[in-house]
Amino acid sequence: MAVAGGSGVDHGAEADEHEHEAHDHAHSHDHDSKIYQGYFDDAQIAERQLSDWAGDWQSVYPLLQDGVLDPVMEHKAENGDQSAEEYRAYYEIGYKTDIDRITIEGDAVTFYQAGKPLAAQYASDGFEVLTYAKGNRGVRFIFEKTGGDEAAPRFIQFSDHAIAPQDAGHYHLYWGDDRAALLEEVTNWPTYYPSSLDGAQIVKEMIAH
């Protein structure tokens, strides 16, 4: 199974843009919105269980490759400082993965690579708070493998802009065998939405936020 990412290079503002950019599920209340953007106190952080990410999830990378997300890139260009093609290139690196589906049930996480499942059990290994160049922060919720397929990653790290228990509407996932190295990864962040959503629905959600 291919490991996501690997450069570990901090691209500063570009990484910040990903980690706090409101490209999905921003909250309407000022309090929640500040958390979503990465401004919060340590006391607000709380442990989360794997159940927050339970469900059947699809990678958005194939949608980017197929042009389904082109309206999202055009929307970003209209409201940002880069062209649609430049945004597409940025997300091409960010979304890239060969794990096109993930299912999470109980403590079991199953990764699907070209339709072939790879499953393992995971338990919470706490969380880490990351500080970005702009001064905002993010929280990675970490789980360590306790059993299952040998080829499954030892660690998985979730980032979904939330810092306390709540059901995720989407998430970015980092995985591999080196816990510390994963925390340095800021350029490749495979992103997953519910498998129940079609491309048009995902586009609508991304543009809305």
Side-chain angles (χ1 to χ4, degrees):
M1 151 178 200
V3 175
S7 71
V9 177
D10 187 343
H11 285 256
E14 202 170 31
D16 290 346
E17 178 188 349
H18 156 64
E19 291 289 357
H20 82 274
E21 181 186 8
H23 58 237
D24 189 53
H25 291 279
H27 299 283
S28 58
H29 301 295
D30 289 343
H31 176 74
D32 288 340
S33 180
K34 287 180 180 178
I35 291 175
Y36 184 90
Q37 293 171 16
Y39 298 97
F40 50 83
D41 297 324
D42 288 348
Q44 294 174 276
I45 305 171
E47 292 276 2
R48 298 174 69 183
Q49 301 300 314
L50 199 56
S51 57
D52 278 9
W53 299 276
D56 192 318
W57 305 87
Q58 62 177 308
S59 166
V60 298
Y61 184 52
L63 300 179
L64 181 72
Q65 291 182 300
D66 293 345
V68 175
L69 300 186
D70 284 356
V72 179
M73 302 302 123
E74 291 162 7
H75 176 75
K76 291 180 181 297
E78 291 170 2
N79 296 276
D81 56 3
Q82 297 186 77
S83 69
E85 277 305 307
E86 286 173 322
Y87 277 112
R88 191 186 188 285
Y90 172 68
Y91 284 92
E92 168 72 27
I93 296 170
Y95 288 160
K96 187 173 184 178
T97 182
D98 59 359
I99 303 300
D100 50 21
R101 178 187 175 208
I102 294 175
T103 60
I104 300 173
E105 182 178 1
D107 67 349
V109 179
T110 304
F111 304 86
Y112 291 86
Q113 184 180 38
K116 296 180 180 179
L118 190 67
Q121 294 76 49
Y122 291 86
S124 176
D125 190 39
F127 58 81
E128 296 288 345
V129 181
L130 306 182
T131 300
Y132 310 119
K134 289 183 179 179
N136 60 320
R137 301 188 298 164
V139 181
R140 296 264 189 100
F141 291 91
I142 304 170
F143 294 83
E144 184 173 8
K145 183 169 70 173
T146 59
D149 292 334
E150 185 177 351
R154 181 180 174 188
F155 293 99
I156 54 176
Q157 302 182 356
F158 291 90
S159 173
D160 63 1
H161 312 284
I163 63 171
Q166 70 178 63
D167 292 340
H170 83 293
Y171 59 86
H172 314 290
L173 191 67
Y174 308 76
W175 61 81
D177 295 332
D178 188 325
R179 189 183 191 276
L182 287 177
L183 293 172
E184 298 296 321
E185 176 55 68
V186 294
T187 59
N188 176 231
W189 15 266
T191 300
Y192 295 85
Y193 276 72
S195 294
S196 59
L197 299 180
D198 62 24
Q201 289 172 312
I202 291 176
V203 166
K204 184 177 180 180
E205 292 225 352
M206 286 183 171
I207 289 179
H209 303 293

